[in-house]
Amino acid sequence: MKLKPVDSEMLLAAGYDPKSFILHVVFRTGESYRYKNVPGFVYDGLLKAESKGKYMHKRIIGRYDYERV
């Protein structure tokens, strides 16, 4: 999966695999997470969000299972 750099105070990069519905994000802390069963529109929304951090907290963190990688 190719990660795209994002303009965010919270994230460095994000990527999405539409076949497995995996959202991969890299936080500015250096931590990397894969969120499972994320619909494509959620990833699109993240990329378009004015505040990626607010979007992560409202739409992703706590809503999808994840693994730290």
Side-chain angles (χ1 to χ4, degrees), residues 7-8 14-15 25 35 40 46 54 57-58:
D7 182 19
S8 169
V25 297
Y35 292 89
L46 175 64
K54 286 180 183 176
H57 283 290
K58 189 173 182 181

Side-chain angles (χ1 to χ4, degrees), residues 4-42:
K4 296 179 182 181
V6 293
D7 182 19
S8 169
E9 292 181 15
M10 180 184 206
L11 303 176
L12 287 174
Y16 184 71
D17 181 355
K19 291 181 183 174
S20 62
F21 301 101
I22 298 288
L23 169 65
H24 186 166
V25 297
V26 180
F27 290 90
R28 290 210 171 265
T29 61
E31 295 174 312
S32 183
Y33 287 83
R34 287 191 183 137
Y35 292 89
K36 304 171 185 177
N37 299 312
V38 177
F41 72 86
V42 173

Side-chain angles (χ1 to χ4, degrees), residues 39-52 55 60:
F41 72 86
V42 173
Y43 173 64
D44 293 339
L46 175 64
L47 294 183
K48 294 174 185 172
E50 188 173 319
S51 171
K52 313 285 190 271
Y55 190 90
I60 298 168

